[in-house]
Amino acid sequence: THVELNALDEQVYKISPLWRVPILQLKDGTVITDSSAICEYLDETSTAGWRLMPHSGSPARLVALRQLSLALGCAEKSVALVYETQRRPTQYQWAEWASRLQAQIQGGLKSLEKEVPSNGKFFGGSSPNAVDIAACCTIDYTALKLPEIDLLTSPKLRALSIRCNE
């Protein structure tokens, strides 16, 4: 569904004074607007055996946090590059900053690519976890909004995105 940006802003502002998305609004009206906080809430309230992240204190948790920071960092830099090159008026664009953002995205994707399970599984094993979700969103957003970023150098991330989107 197409929603005008100003209309969306008004809808989001009614729920979140920071105008941030994603938004999780609980049945009691409580609003959580940060992705990490939403994931933490879902993990704390999930049924036994299903988690977005490994349990706190486990060695697997540290690995997943590092991988998640790479995926989220790439997403953050992709959004910044879109704002710099597509939203900012041309006369105010900073070419050196855009080049740096692009290099940061490519460096992060290259690092994350090395860690994608090559056996057709997910970072989370047999089912997706928070790393898979973040990596998929990052790849999909980057492919859609930043075609100048060469995703051909990330075949395992592209394949992961396909698995996550199935």
Side-chain angles (χ1 to χ4, degrees):
T1 303
H2 175 74
V3 178
E4 289 297 323
L5 188 56
N6 290 337
L8 179 61
D9 279 351
E10 290 174 20
Q11 292 171 10
V12 169
Y13 185 70
K14 287 178 184 176
I15 300 169
S16 170
L18 293 174
W19 292 3
R20 286 192 69 168
V21 292
I23 298 169
L24 175 63
Q25 187 170 24
L26 306 179
K27 290 179 183 179
D28 69 0
T30 301
V31 173
I32 305 172
T33 58
D34 180 80
S35 298
S36 298
I38 291 169
C39 288
E40 187 68 25
Y41 171 80
L42 293 173
D43 269 355
E44 292 297 320
T45 59
S46 69
T47 58
W50 184 86
R51 294 184 56 88
L52 287 169
M53 291 291 285
H55 287 284
S56 185
S58 70
R61 172 92 173 186
L62 183 58
V63 171
L65 286 171
R66 186 180 47 72
Q67 294 167 334
L68 183 61
S69 69
L70 281 171
L72 293 175
C74 289
E76 177 185 309
K77 298 303 177 178
S78 291
V79 170
L81 186 58
V82 166
Y83 272 88
E84 182 63 35
T85 60
Q86 298 175 26
R87 303 284 299 180
R88 185 182 305 278
T90 306
Q91 69 269 27
Y92 298 117
Q93 291 180 11
W94 185 10
E96 292 84 7
W97 177 243
S99 293
R100 180 184 172 107
L101 290 169
Q102 189 164 356
Q104 289 174 306
I105 296 163
Q106 290 169 327
L109 292 176
K110 182 178 179 182
S111 293
L112 196 56
E113 173 75 11
K114 293 176 186 175
E115 300 194 38
V116 177
S118 57
N119 57 4
K121 292 192 174 188
F122 298 98
F123 282 103
S126 60
S127 60
N129 69 5
V131 179
D132 295 291
I133 295 166
C136 177
C137 291
T138 298
I139 289 296
D140 291 356
Y141 179 82
T142 303
L144 178 68
K145 300 299 280 183
L146 298 167
E148 66 272 22
I149 301 290
D150 183 11
L151 294 177
L152 294 177
T153 60
S154 304
K156 292 194 290 185
L157 282 169
R158 288 191 349 261
L160 175 70
S161 173
I162 291 167
R163 286 194 302 278
C164 287
N165 281 302
E166 290 180 336

